[in-house]
Amino acid sequence: MVHGEIWTLKELFVLPNEYIYWSIQIVMYPFMTGLVAGAFVLSSLYHVFGIKELKDIARFALVFSFALLFAAPMPIVLHLQHPFRGINVMMTPHFTSAIAAFGIVFFSYGAIVASELWFLYRKHFVESALALREKQDKSLYENILYLVFCALTLGVTDISQEALHKDEKAIKTLAGIGIPVACFLHGYAGFIFGSVKANALWMTPLMPVIFIMSAVVSGIALCMLTYIITMELRKFLMGIKKAHAVGFQTKEDLKSVEINVIRMTAKYLLFFLIAAISLELLDLIFRGYTAVKSWDVLRSVIYGRDFAAIFLFQYGLGNAVPFILFLLPGLTLRRAVVGVLLVLFGVFMMRYNVVIGGQAFSLTFMGYMHYELPIIPHDWETLKEGLFGALGIFVMPFVLFWVLSHIFPIFNYEESH
Amino acid sequence: MISRRDFLKYTVKGAAGLAVPLAAIEIVNPKKILADSQGIGKTRWVFLVDTYKCVGCGFCVKACKIENEIPYDANVTRTWVERYVNTKDGRLFADTPKGARDGFTTNKIDLGLGKFQDVKNEDIRRSFFVPKLCNQCENPPCVQVCPVGATYQTPDGVVLVDRTWCIGCGYCIMGCPYGVRFFHPKYHTAEKCNFCYHRISKGLKTACVQACPFGARMIGNIKDPNDPVTKIVTTERVGILKSEYGTKPQVYYIGLDEEVR
Ligand code: SF4
Ligand code: SF4
């Protein structure tokens, strides 16, 4: 079997070598980097612009962004025909290609997030390391933790008020640099598509901007979702072991904190959602109005074959419905959860409609290709480029987040930043 | 005190003096010397297809698959032949079943999904065949987008793929406006027509040119004024595919039609 043949159905006049070469993992790639960028921007809203209401979710978003960062290149690796040669991109980067810069952008962004995290948690590392050192009869786990924390301090143990103040400044600077870099990381994913002149649907200079806006939307939505889930879990746990209620929180406290944070964050979500939709509609209207050669086939795809995916799922369920849900006064948690889930779904559908929709028609403009996502895997290819491969990628950051939260405490961490 | 006149004089002299070394660098361009000493720069391979002569037998496709070791039954091919049919009621059909490997033997148009459209002879206003292959573009987007440089252009104009370096991202497949690229079923690297580079660089013709019984395909060197292909391309009216992409394709067609995609 030729690569792509198994999930491509050809209709009418399609060239012999045309298949849907970029499949579900290439849908996941911009989706995941979008989440990374979005989560980071959300955390920077607090650190740079000092939006106090977002303080609680900011630290959370930063750790989550870090977890997502590891998952972001995975779709590409699963997509490559020669995954072990992926490193070639670093060895002989060919800079006329948009993909070539991936490694550089990715690592510089990773470095920024990592150092910001370090400054943010330095005090915690030092304190934990000192506390563990004092402790007698450490268990194996504690021994390991001790080593990890020692390593993480990087040998700097100065946590005087002065030093911490400097940290704060560094965080602010890093978060400031991070915003354009995060936007670049993702806008550049948009550029990968927008610059393909052979593809009538992809080629538009708006693509990077559209990608950035929807990225921020999805990142905020995912942070809200995860935030609610973890808060609910804490409330639940607190219910079980009432006696151990830590710090200032009681169940009621948590509840009011939670809903306030969510309401505030939802405002920013709405703002970016409006920007994203306007740009997408502008693109659509412009194409229809200028109606160049490719418009006939594009129209038949957009208003015909992909109508449900674009207008019902993406714009309808994924944009319009959550828009109304968030706008209605008196936002409740339950409504917020439904809203963010729909927003995430909408952004995913947008990536899907761009990547798969861009390959739904032939270069001849006289034929169509239909994509059938492999669900039950029967070989390596249908596993990694099928439903399970995509799900695996989606679950990955949550697992990483769970692991990371052992080192970077996300709640109960009293800190002035 | 320096007069304005002197100042101008010195400036001009200084500028001229500065320009000399720059010019010198230009004169001893090592790349150019190497190219000249190896005869590079005297060759630019181009292809010429005479669609009037093509009958859609598919011999070229067969020959290419065998010569270039593209698995015979795999549904990908480095070259293919398209059939265009205009009916009297104004409809346009086009197909290329299996890349026309087995030729066009019936009036049934392949509509994909296992469906066929029977067109009666008396309903046909006109019909013709168009062979396709890599255009070895002068400005190849496939080379531009390859992130590792595994796809590159040789000095004599042919675009090649390094099978040992290609990571299989498929960006070049997406970037080619002519749909000539695919993944090799065995090597899982980007694959496409390379004008039988292993043959032409030894003075042979490409496998498809040799296999065509009607002389519909020709390969030549556009930098050689005496080459028959050059003569036709420079003196007759020939067309290229999809010029709007700015790729400067180097496969020329005689008898190209607006309807050819
Ligand atoms: S026809 Fe396609 S594969 Fe061939 S050189 Fe041009 S862009 Fe590259
Ligand atoms: S598939 Fe291979 S040749 Fe094509 S762009 Fe990717 S690395 Fe380059």
Side-chain angles (χ1 to χ4, degrees), chain B residues 146-148 150-151 161 166-172 181 183 190:
Chain B
C146 178
V148 297
T151 269
V161 183
C166 166
I167 60 176
C169 63
Y171 205 8
C172 56
R181 285 178 170 253
F183 280 126

Side-chain angles (χ1 to χ4, degrees), chain A residues 225-245:
Chain A
L225 180 66
T226 326
Y227 182 76
I228 294 176
I229 294 175
T230 35
M231 287 298 256
E232 288 306 309
L233 270 181
R234 288 174 68 209
K235 273 194 275 180
F236 177 72
L237 291 179
M238 215 172 262
I240 296 177
K241 37 181 183 179
K242 280 199 188 79
H244 291 276

Side-chain angles (χ1 to χ4, degrees), chain A residues 183-381:
Chain A
C183 289
F184 191 77
L185 173 76
H186 194 68
Y188 140 90
F191 188 84
I192 291 180
F193 294 97
S195 64
V196 176
K197 63 181 169 190
N199 192 303
L201 185 75
W202 293 348
M203 203 187 85
T204 158
L206 281 184
M207 197 62 101
V209 200
I210 292 180
F211 264 51
I212 291 174
M213 290 307 161
S214 50
V216 178
V217 170
S218 65
I220 296 182
L222 187 65
C223 283
M224 283 169 72
L225 180 66
T226 326
Y227 182 76
I228 294 176
I229 294 175
T230 35
M231 287 298 256
E232 288 306 309
L233 270 181
R234 288 174 68 209
K235 273 194 275 180
F236 177 72
L237 291 179
M238 215 172 262
I240 296 177
K241 37 181 183 179
K242 280 199 188 79
H244 291 276
V246 250
F248 68 100
Q249 290 115 339
T250 65
K251 220 167 150 182
E252 294 315 306
D253 280 344
L254 277 185
K255 210 169 193 168
S256 74
V257 171
E258 187 179 4
I259 191 68
N260 277 337
V261 168
I262 290 303
R263 282 194 185 140
M264 190 62 204
T265 322
K267 288 209 183 97
Y268 288 91
L269 182 102
L270 270 184
F271 171 77
F272 284 102
L273 191 62
I274 292 172
I277 302 177
S278 324
L279 283 169
E280 281 167 46
L281 287 182
L282 171 65
D283 183 54
L284 192 64
I285 292 168
F286 194 77
R287 283 169 193 278
Y289 192 77
T290 52
V292 294
K293 197 172 168 186
S294 56
W295 176 241
D296 279 339
V297 76
L298 283 187
R299 187 180 49 202
S300 68
V301 168
I302 296 173
Y303 295 118
R305 316 180 133 249
D306 284 358
F307 184 85
I310 296 177
F311 290 100
L312 290 186
F313 294 144
Q314 182 189 329
Y315 289 126
L317 262 186
N319 290 350
V321 176
F323 194 81
I324 295 168
L325 284 182
F326 285 127
L327 266 193
L328 289 180
L331 182 65
T332 60
L333 271 189
R334 205 164 299 153
R335 206 161 81 208
V337 171
V338 177
V340 292
L341 280 177
L342 286 177
V343 165
L344 280 175
F345 172 73
V347 174
F348 177 81
M349 281 315 288
M350 181 258 169
R351 311 290 192 232
Y352 188 92
N353 289 331
V354 167
V355 176
I356 305 292
Q359 300 168 85
F361 54 94
S362 164
L363 287 167
T364 62
F365 297 161
M366 277 173 74
Y368 301 97
M369 287 189 283
H370 183 72
Y371 177 64
E372 285 195 321
L373 176 71
I375 296 185
I376 312 286
H378 49 81
D379 57 8
W380 176 232
E381 196 159 276

